[in-house]
Amino acid sequence: MNVLVIGSGGREHAICLKLKESNNLKSLYTVPKNSVFERFSKNIDLSPDDFEGIKDLCIAEKIDLVVVGPEDPLSAGISDYLISKGINVFGPCLKGAVLESSKQLAKEFMDRNYIPTAKFKVFYDFRCAKKYIAELQKFPVVIKADGLCAGKGVRICNNIDEANTAIEDFMEKRIFKGSGMKVIVEECLKGKECSVLALVDGKRYLLLPVARDHKRLNDGNTGPNTGGMGAVCPVDLSTNDIKKIEEEIITNFMNGIRKERIDYRGVIYFGIMMTEDGPKLLEFNVRFGDPETQAILPLVEDDLLDIFYKVASGKLDREKINLKNKYSVCVVLSAKGYPQNPLKGDEISGLDSIDKDITIFYSGIRIENGRYFTSGGRVLSLVGLGDSVDEARRKVYNNIKKIKFEGMHFRTDIGL
Ligand code: AMP
Ligand code: GLY
């Protein structure tokens, strides 16, 4: 098969490496232009929002499957467009993609379909939102901008001042533009978080091993929220917890898409809080998590291309995915200033001396004349496997010591 992967971050790097293990892969194409991706794929200079250009590429190169990595092209309708041209796509249609691009629509879907979630209220006017919070006087409270904000549109506010600032930033200053037209004010849930990902072919689902992201910038879960500073997989959930997640969240999601005629084909990511009252759904993502994917996929034994193709064609024919009997730990190295204002252009050294059993996934890196430079907030991640989380951790952290760049930052407690 000829396969096109859209996206050029660490997540897509992990997807590409796994697809390349397949005996069924003929040629791997990627967009957009990226100096890392051109090393292992036919990397084409096309923007992910150039739907027509991507369609032309698919026809010219006889692409059998398109895998869409990021949320932006999905919520702009790339799957609907390519499917209408007869192209197989791994990635949900618009009706599915809104579950990530509108927090309001996601929460309403949860409510209609009996999926446990935090209590919430939607506001269209900043004065109403501020008045509600002043009267509620219950902190912490969670304030979310309705639309896509690259993982930065959620604030956990500990007092009225923080809450008012969030509402001003989202609704008045419009720091996330149209995404702040509405805000969701939500009850703050307590517990441990986990990321549950399932591959869905429209009718059936296949569960991936549960991962845990580490969202805060600094050790001990302190500092601002980020896209994710590291991940561990699998997570120590009990069989009973997994059963509850399947019964109360995944089954209700599957029934919901059936009832609402959403032909969802791709991966669905359930961001779940394990509370004292059972699992509650914080959010949907309609794509793989980053950095969860870098931790999850190296554990998969099966041919991922075969599974993706079956997902895209609505023909999943298995109930379980075969996994290595290992643990994986992924640690992200970020640039100085991330997440607010990451510095770019610093040279990275030491990448050649990394042990053979460690995988490096590149997120924000540019290669020039064989030299590596930072080009984004999350620069790269290192993933190690072990017979225990401790062993995997040790391997990764031993290798991080070898890498250097100006202002390099990472958490030292991933997997602790
Ligand atoms: P979201 O984009 O909705 O997943 O939110 C990003 C992060 O904010 C989540 O991974 C949680 O850590 C946190 N969060 C979101 N909603 C809540 C909530 N209702 N209670 C506590 N934490 C939350
Ligand atoms: N790591 C969280 C996300 O991908 O949204």
Side-chain angles (χ1 to χ4, degrees):
M1 276 188 253
N2 292 321
V3 179
L4 168 65
V5 173
I6 298 179
S8 60
R11 164 184 54 206
E12 289 79 17
H13 191 184
I15 292 172
C16 286
L17 287 196
K18 201 75 210 170
L19 292 176
K20 280 184 81 88
E21 289 175 11
S22 169
N23 291 328
N24 293 321
L25 183 74
K26 195 165 149 208
S27 290
L28 180 66
Y29 293 77
T30 52
V31 301
K33 193 87 195 136
N34 181 290
S35 53
V36 171
F37 280 59
E38 68 188 19
R39 297 202 148 187
F40 58 78
S41 66
K42 296 187 180 176
N43 183 238
I44 313 287
D45 190 7
L46 270 176
S47 162
D49 55 23
D50 180 359
F51 293 180
E52 208 176 324
I54 289 176
K55 180 255 302 171
D56 290 342
L57 172 72
C58 290
I59 292 170
E61 303 301 326
K62 300 193 170 55
I63 299 290
D64 299 289
L65 177 68
V66 177
V67 179
V68 188
E71 61 274 25
D72 288 320
L74 290 169
S75 59
I78 192 166
S79 299
D80 307 65
Y81 176 79
L82 294 177
I83 290 167
S84 77
K85 306 292 176 195
I87 297 162
N88 268 315
V89 184
F90 178 97
C93 53
L94 261 178
K95 272 172 89 178
V98 295
L99 294 176
E100 178 166 356
S101 62
S102 167
K103 294 206 184 285
Q104 178 189 5
L105 295 182
K107 294 290 283 192
E108 289 171 357
F109 178 93
M110 295 176 208
D111 258 8
R112 279 198 302 279
N113 291 295
Y114 208 65
I115 298 174
T117 187
K119 292 194 195 79
F120 71 103
K121 222 167 147 55
V122 182
F123 292 93
Y124 295 75
D125 183 286
F126 68 91
R127 289 161 300 192
C128 298
K130 284 183 173 172
K131 182 164 173 277
Y132 174 76
I133 290 165
E135 285 169 7
L136 190 70
Q137 282 296 334
K138 206 170 161 205
F139 299 99
V141 69
V142 182
I143 302 185
K144 303 183 172 184
D146 178 57
L148 292 177
C149 307
K152 295 174 196 150
V154 176
R155 301 238 185 119
I156 298 178
C157 306
N158 291 305
N159 53 52
I160 188 96
D161 292 335
E162 287 179 15
N164 284 337
T165 305
I167 291 168
E168 279 155 26
D169 284 349
F170 296 164
M171 300 192 95
E172 297 177 63
K173 293 186 188 151
R174 288 288 175 93
I175 60 168
F176 299 120
K177 309 213 167 64
S179 290
M181 293 232 286
K182 291 178 249 176
V183 295
I184 288 92
V185 177
E186 204 172 282
E187 163 200 21
C188 188
L189 298 176
K190 291 207 166 54
K192 277 192 168 178
E193 274 186 72
C194 58
S195 309
V196 178
L197 281 74
L199 303 171
V200 176
D201 78 343
K203 299 183 271 309
R204 291 158 290 249
Y205 71 88
L206 190 58
L207 209 53
L208 289 163
V210 178
R212 174 161 295 132
D213 189 7
H214 295 62
K215 289 233 162 73
R216 301 296 195 97
L217 182 67
N218 300 319
D219 285 358
N221 294 326
T222 57
N225 254 339
T226 68
M229 294 301 294
V232 178
C233 183
V235 166
D236 53 348
L237 287 184
S238 67
T239 332
N240 192 40
D241 282 339
I242 297 197
K243 189 163 161 257
K244 273 190 170 171
I245 291 173
E246 289 210 60
E247 283 174 2
E248 295 172 20
I249 297 180
I250 306 183
T251 305
N252 287 332
F253 168 79
M254 294 304 295
N255 288 338
I257 57 168
R258 184 174 41 79
K259 274 192 289 195
E260 303 190 15
R261 296 182 191 283
I262 304 173
D263 189 10
Y264 195 107
R265 299 182 189 198
V267 63
I268 180 84
Y269 166 133
F270 304 95
I272 293 174
M273 187 76 90
M274 301 302 297
T275 73
E276 278 181 355
D277 304 326
K280 295 201 180 182
L281 185 61
L282 296 174
E283 62 161 347
F284 293 112
N285 290 319
V286 300
R287 35 107 194 143
F288 277 102
D290 189 337
E292 288 94 327
T293 308
Q294 291 91 309
I296 295 172
L297 291 188
L299 294 174
V300 172
E301 284 277 25
D302 292 323
D303 180 335
L304 198 70
L305 174 52
D306 177 58
I307 295 177
F308 277 11
Y309 189 75
K310 286 179 175 148
V311 163
S313 33
K315 292 188 179 139
L316 257 183
D317 57 359
R318 64 177 89 198
E319 280 165 11
K320 268 211 155 75
I321 204 153
N322 290 304
L323 300 170
K324 294 185 181 126
N325 191 16
K326 297 268 179 198
Y327 289 86
S328 90
V329 167
C330 166
V331 179
V332 173
L333 308 189
S334 63
K336 189 173 183 168
Y338 175 74
Q340 282 92 4
N341 291 305
L343 292 183
K344 296 179 186 171
D346 289 305
E347 184 158 7
I348 307 164
S349 65
L351 293 173
D352 301 338
S353 53
I354 296 304
D355 293 343
K356 290 270 175 301
D357 60 348
I358 294 286
T359 314
I360 312 178
F361 294 112
Y362 296 114
S363 302
I365 282 196
R366 176 171 54 83
I367 306 178
E368 220 176 274
N369 300 325
R371 292 162 68 191
Y372 292 71
F373 298 90
T374 62
S375 72
R378 288 189 290 176
V379 176
L380 60 95
S381 49
L382 292 194
V383 175
L385 304 190
D387 291 329
S388 63
V389 172
D390 267 354
E391 189 192 346
R393 257 180 65 76
R394 222 175 15 254
K395 283 187 185 173
V396 172
Y397 282 108
N398 276 339
N399 278 278
I400 287 181
K401 289 184 200 143
K402 304 175 186 170
I403 301 178
K404 293 203 169 41
F405 57 86
E406 181 68 31
M408 176 175 115
H409 173 77
F410 61 92
R411 278 181 63 160
T412 65
D413 62 351
I414 305 299
L416 270 188

